[in-house]
Amino acid sequence: MLISRIRAGGAAMAAVFLLVLSTSEPTAAQDGAVSDDLVVLDLVVEDWVETQTATAIVSVDLAVTGGAFAEARADAETTLRSAVPSVSWRFTRFNRLPDDAGYERWRVVAQSRMPSGALGALPGQMKEASGPGRTFRVVSIDHTPTLAENQAATAKLRQRIYGLAAAEIDALNAAFDGRTFRLGRIDFVPVAQPIEARPRTLDVARTTGFTSSAIEGNLDVARKMMLTARVTLAAEPDIE
């Protein structure tokens, strides 16, 4: 068993590990044919996934007289869109709350993916939007990269895997004169993210002394992504 490790430097701070698991001698198959010589590699690449946006979740608590919820809800939606006009809001939940004072109490929840630069002003905008019978507040800010950002990063990691496999084929052909290794198979293996690389969600509602600078300065905007692939390289056996 031959074990080798290669570390790739550069701005991406990426590490690459190559593990040569096994090689096989030519063996006779059941039909009498001779099987390929195989080299099996585990390739691991990693890089940072960065995002410049965050998902902001806002709640609106409404206290209205009986039968006036539809009008109050429409007014709250209009107010929210007017308070932060540069983003699109999606209203995801409407819950009725208990009340003993004869009012209808409702909680409306909305969320939006917005640029990081817009987060600092958000608490103040929600305070200004609040008024009698309605209270706007920021519930949470989540800086987890979007699905599209994760997929784009994964595509780049796959390209690096392909490049490493091609380089390994060239190295094998150079090391074993007269042999012609080729790519046999690539299997991508899911890898769990390290605990320290998980994005953090900041619960604004439970944070005391919360300020705009805290929104901008205490959120993770990058996470480490790792991709593992098992690569099989094959060559026809050298039979003399």
Side-chain angles (χ1 to χ4, degrees):
M1 177 181 290
L2 172 63
I3 299 178
S4 62
R5 293 192 177 186
I6 299 175
R7 179 172 293 274
M13 298 177 61
V16 180
F17 303 95
L18 306 182
L19 174 59
V20 181
L21 297 181
S22 64
T23 59
S24 63
E25 297 294 336
T27 56
Q30 292 181 355
D31 59 0
V34 178
S35 64
D36 286 343
D37 289 339
L38 301 178
V39 176
V40 180
L41 308 173
D42 274 354
L43 305 183
V44 183
V45 292
E46 63 180 19
D47 206 345
W48 290 98
V49 186
E50 298 189 31
T51 182
Q52 300 298 320
T53 61
T55 298
I57 298 179
V58 170
S59 71
V60 188
D61 288 343
L62 301 174
V64 298
T65 57
F69 169 68
E71 181 180 351
R73 181 189 69 182
D75 181 64
E77 293 178 2
T78 299
T79 300
L80 181 58
R81 290 192 171 104
S82 299
V84 193
S86 59
V87 301
S88 297
W89 290 96
R90 299 290 183 268
F91 292 83
T92 60
R93 194 166 62 218
F94 301 93
N95 294 337
R96 187 167 184 173
L97 306 177
D99 182 77
D100 297 329
Y103 288 94
E104 284 188 19
R105 292 190 178 274
W106 291 82
R107 176 164 295 166
V108 179
V109 178
Q111 69 178 44
S112 176
R113 191 78 184 184
M114 62 177 57
S116 299
L119 296 174
L122 188 60
Q125 291 167 327
M126 295 302 95
K127 184 177 181 180
E128 291 180 4
S130 299
R134 65 184 188 186
T135 302
F136 290 77
R137 64 190 181 95
V138 182
V139 175
S140 67
I141 302 292
D142 187 354
H143 237 300
T144 303
T146 64
L147 176 61
E149 290 166 336
N150 282 321
Q151 289 178 333
T154 301
K156 291 180 180 179
L157 292 179
R158 284 198 302 268
Q159 290 297 321
R160 289 174 54 194
I161 290 285
Y162 300 150
L164 291 171
E168 192 67 17
I169 290 173
D170 292 340
L172 284 170
N173 290 334
F176 299 99
D177 189 28
R179 306 303 303 280
T180 303
F181 279 88
R182 66 186 186 280
L183 179 63
R185 178 169 178 165
I186 296 182
D187 293 315
F188 290 98
V189 182
V191 176
Q193 297 298 321
I195 294 177
E196 64 271 18
R198 290 177 182 170
R200 180 170 63 246
T201 299
L202 183 60
D203 189 344
V204 180
R206 297 181 180 178
T207 303
T208 58
F210 192 75
T211 64
S212 296
S213 61
I215 287 184
E216 297 175 326
N218 289 307
L219 293 173
D220 295 329
V221 294
R223 61 183 286 183
K224 187 177 291 184
M225 175 176 286
M226 186 178 295
L227 184 65
T228 296
R230 175 155 292 185
V231 179
T232 301
L233 310 178
E236 295 182 1
D238 185 12
I239 302 176
E240 298 182 357

